[in-house]
Amino acid sequence: MIGSGLKKLAAEYGMKVDRGVAYGSLQGFAATMCEGSGWKRIAFSTTFSDPVQKTAFMDAVQAVDVQKTYRVSGLGIAADGVQINFVDNPGTMGKIREFLAWFLPLLQEYGASAWDVCPECGYQITDGKWMLSDGNVARYYHDACAQKALREVEDQNEQRKQQDNGSYLKGTIGALLGALIGAVVWAVVLIAGYVASIIGLLIGWLSDKGYRLLGGRNGKGKIAILIVAVILGVVIGTLGADAITLAQMINETPGATATYADIPMLLIALLAEDEGYRSALLGNIGMGLLFAALGVYWFVIRTGKEVADAKLVELK
């Protein structure tokens, strides 16, 4: 995603916008701009051919308190580039401009590779294409090198899948066992008169933990399995709370003819015949699922990222 501030900055440097990022040559260096909730990011795809120069560059960067001076929340220098995250507050765009005025001359001074040096082969490009990788980093490739990089990504995805010896069946069993443990906690909380999103988070965590411990396959099916497990955890926990309540009533009623073994049939009868109970139960389940959805959202997002294939796509 990219907002108006970064779009304006990118336009000033003649950069393009596609797939939620701004990309192109930023004063001679391959750069990508993007942002999210509370942050803005600039990533440079560049290398240092001289290790001594790279060390000197790192020393020059570390000599300045970039967090205090430019609102930088993180600055990472890797073998294939530099990534800078900024805290997104009012006035941050001004700080980004100040940062670039200081930082870009450092890249030039210490011999960072230019935007038209292919990251795959290291040779200069006369006519190539921009490709966007995971992590929202755009790089400029020769046509042939772009195809090679794409094949490498596809091979890595296939190799990862082949190395995954997990089982959806085992993972399902583990997720359900975890959800059942969470259901017990959910029932206890309901009996105490509370409904809390933290329990939904607990059910999601236990389901995910059970899935992993029993060797579940790390594929896209994991997301559906976790969602189903959490739903069952909430439903079973809600019914379990009512079952415990019925057990208490049987235990406290003198001369009661019903036994604990009758509780399942009593619940079925209440569902079939008592509209008030049915409405109350569905309401509790609905509220529970709402809080559970809020609680497990992070687990679903994380799992989605874990099982997603790495991607390399061409930019316009």
Side-chain angles (χ1 to χ4, degrees):
M1 185 181 77
I2 184 168
S4 58
L6 286 181
K7 284 182 179 179
K8 181 179 179 181
L9 179 63
E12 293 174 9
Y13 287 101
M15 300 171 68
K16 297 180 179 180
V17 175
D18 186 27
R19 293 183 178 270
V21 303
Y23 68 96
S25 172
L26 181 54
Q27 287 197 356
F29 298 98
T32 315
M33 301 179 185
C34 62
E35 62 187 286
S37 178
W39 58 269
K40 296 183 186 293
R41 177 183 300 154
I42 300 179
F44 291 92
S45 173
T46 188
T47 59
F48 296 85
S49 57
D50 186 344
V52 176
Q53 287 284 75
K54 182 176 181 179
T55 300
F57 167 76
M58 295 173 66
D59 291 341
V61 171
Q62 293 170 0
V64 176
D65 187 348
V66 293
Q67 180 177 4
K68 181 178 180 180
T69 307
Y70 303 114
R71 297 187 186 175
V72 172
S73 59
L75 193 156
I77 302 174
D80 59 352
V82 182
Q83 180 172 289
I84 310 100
N85 290 338
F86 299 87
V87 176
D88 191 7
N89 289 326
T92 293
M93 286 307 305
K95 291 296 183 180
I96 291 177
R97 293 175 186 276
E98 293 175 12
F99 174 85
L100 291 175
W102 164 75
F103 187 75
L104 290 170
L106 291 180
L107 292 177
Q108 182 71 39
E109 179 180 353
Y110 292 103
S113 61
W115 71 279
D116 59 351
V117 173
C118 180
E120 184 71 25
C121 68
Y123 289 99
Q124 192 169 21
I125 305 168
T126 55
D127 184 22
K129 61 177 62 175
W130 286 95
M131 305 290 289
L132 184 68
S133 64
D134 290 335
N136 284 336
V137 178
R139 296 179 175 88
Y140 194 55
Y141 292 87
H142 292 104
D143 285 350
C145 289
Q147 294 302 315
K148 180 182 177 183
L150 183 58
R151 288 194 298 271
E152 289 173 350
V153 169
E154 293 173 347
D155 289 343
Q156 290 171 4
N157 289 334
E158 186 61 30
Q159 183 177 8
R160 177 180 61 84
K161 293 176 183 178
Q162 291 178 356
Q163 292 175 346
D164 185 0
N165 297 320
S167 163
Y168 280 133
L169 177 59
K170 292 181 180 179
T172 299
I173 295 172
L176 291 176
L177 289 174
L180 286 175
I181 297 173
V184 173
V185 180
W186 186 267
V188 172
V189 169
L190 281 179
I191 291 173
Y194 299 99
V195 178
S197 61
I198 188 65
I199 307 302
L201 180 62
L202 176 65
I203 294 175
W205 183 83
L206 289 170
S207 298
D208 181 74
K209 191 71 173 178
Y211 190 95
R212 293 173 182 269
L213 287 176
L214 264 67
R217 184 177 180 83
N218 201 30
K220 294 181 179 179
K222 177 183 177 181
I223 299 175
I225 291 170
L226 290 181
I227 292 174
V228 170
V230 169
I231 292 173
L232 288 176
V234 171
V235 173
I236 293 173
T238 305
L239 289 171
D242 290 345
I244 294 173
T245 300
L246 287 174
Q248 291 173 340
M249 293 173 62
I250 291 172
N251 188 52
E252 296 171 0
T253 302
T257 58
T259 65
Y260 295 156
D262 296 323
I263 289 176
M265 293 306 299
L266 289 173
L267 287 174
I268 293 174
L270 285 171
L271 279 171
E273 301 172 5
D274 191 328
E275 184 177 350
Y277 171 75
R278 187 165 58 248
S279 297
L281 177 66
L282 293 177
N284 286 337
I285 290 176
M287 184 64 69
L289 290 176
L290 174 61
F291 281 112
L294 295 175
V296 303
Y297 175 78
W298 182 83
F299 286 100
V300 173
I301 295 298
R302 189 193 70 178
T303 299
K305 292 180 179 179
E306 288 178 350
V307 304
D309 288 339
K311 295 180 181 179
L312 186 66
V313 296
E314 183 175 356
L315 293 167
K316 298 178 181 178

